[in-house]
Amino acid sequence: MRNYEIMFIVKPTLAEEEIKKVAKDFENILTSNGGKVTDFKEIGQRELAYEIKKFKNGYYYLINVETEDDKAIKEFDRLALISGDVIRHLITKIGE
């Protein structure tokens, strides 16, 4: 089993329901591709250290995932890069 920690930031201009839908959709991407979400935290709106895509704050989410292979992680990464709603994401492999 491989463990990953994923943090992503959703743009703040969306309505609250849309922000939660984006987070739920990305969680579903992980589970539908063979990943098991072990922890899902909504950190909330925070000010960014520097401006990203003309945004000064965003909604932070933290997901811990267990997976046999990296298919779910690669799909999350691909879709997060092309999504207009995610302004930044970071995927970290935990342990070996």
Side-chain angles (χ1 to χ4, degrees):
M1 263 316 171
R2 297 177 184 160
N3 293 314
Y4 294 90
E5 183 177 83
I6 302 171
M7 179 174 275
F8 64 99
I9 306 170
V10 179
K11 67 182 182 179
T13 55
L14 299 174
E16 188 174 340
E17 310 86 49
E18 293 172 317
I19 291 169
K20 290 182 190 264
K21 183 184 180 318
V22 169
K24 190 68 176 164
D25 289 346
F26 277 100
E27 182 181 9
N28 290 338
I29 288 165
L30 292 167
T31 55
S32 65
N33 285 288
K36 179 184 171 197
V37 175
T38 57
D39 193 20
F40 184 88
K41 293 181 185 172
E42 179 181 345
I43 299 172
Q45 188 171 7
R46 304 272 185 205
E47 187 174 335
L48 302 173
Y50 53 90
E51 196 171 289
I52 302 173
K53 296 182 183 176
K54 299 187 179 178
F55 295 109
K56 294 185 180 192
N57 53 35
Y59 285 89
Y60 282 69
Y61 287 90
L62 183 65
I63 303 175
N64 290 340
V65 182
E66 282 183 356
T67 182
E68 290 292 329
D69 56 15
D70 59 354
K71 178 184 173 191
I73 301 302
K74 285 183 177 180
E75 184 65 9
F76 180 96
D77 188 39
R78 184 182 76 81
L79 293 173
L81 285 171
I82 61 176
S83 172
D85 296 329
V86 175
I87 57 175
R88 187 62 47 99
H89 71 285
L90 176 68
I91 301 171
T92 307
K93 187 174 182 182
I94 300 172
E96 280 299 315

